[in-house]
């Protein structure tokens, strides 16, 4: 069985890790929800080269708005900016998911420490 001090040390290390994640989450700067990626699609003109399989590349931002899947094409002039904002959003979401796991691990570790300190009273 691990010593109480080892339990405590791990608890505080977990707490520090949680703080680092929180700092990551709050240092992203401007962000916009959604996924930014390159899509290839048809324009619909029957005589266009895309009708023969040479699809048009379009940079898009997709997101869910009130339960609806939305797709926005991103103009060339705004591409770098939107890429950056969407990247910050993705990093925020990743860090947030990590925080959820870290909080659960922190509580479990606190419970292990307390369990190790638990006194059996009255004796059975
Ligand atoms: Zn076309």
């Amino acid at each position: 069985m691990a010593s109480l001090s080892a339990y405590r040390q791990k608890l505080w290390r977990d707490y520090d890790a949680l703080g680092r994640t929180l700092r990551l989450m709050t240092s992203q700067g401007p962000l916009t929800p959604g996924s930014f990626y390159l899509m290839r699609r048809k324009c619909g003109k029957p005589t266009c080269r895309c009708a023969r399989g040479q699809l048009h590349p379009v940079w898009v931002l997709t997101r869910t708005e009130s339960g609806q899947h939305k797709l926005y094409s991103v103009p060339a002039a705004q591409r770098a900016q939107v890429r950056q904002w969407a990247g910050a959003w993705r990093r925020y979401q990743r860090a947030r998911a990590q925080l959820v796991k870290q909080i659960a691990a922190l509580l479990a570790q606190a419970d292990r420490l307390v369990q190790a300190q638990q006194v059996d009273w009255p004796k059975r």
Side-chain angles (χ1 to χ4, degrees), residues 71-110:
L71 188 146
Y72 302 98
S73 64
V74 182
Q78 290 174 287
R79 208 167 285 160
Q81 185 65 85
V82 172
R83 182 199 304 274
Q84 192 182 331
W85 290 340
W89 174 259
R90 191 185 58 242
R91 286 188 296 278
Y92 173 81
Q93 290 301 324
R94 278 188 193 155
R96 191 185 186 285
Q98 194 183 5
L99 187 73
V100 169
K101 288 182 195 165
Q102 286 174 319
I103 289 171
L106 190 74
L107 288 173
Q109 185 60 22

Side-chain angles (χ1 to χ4, degrees), residues 41-45 47-51 54-56:
R41 64 180 174 190
K42 292 181 181 177
C43 66
K45 290 178 201 149
T47 55
C48 185
R49 61 187 169 88
C50 68
Q54 288 181 279
L55 304 181
H56 302 281

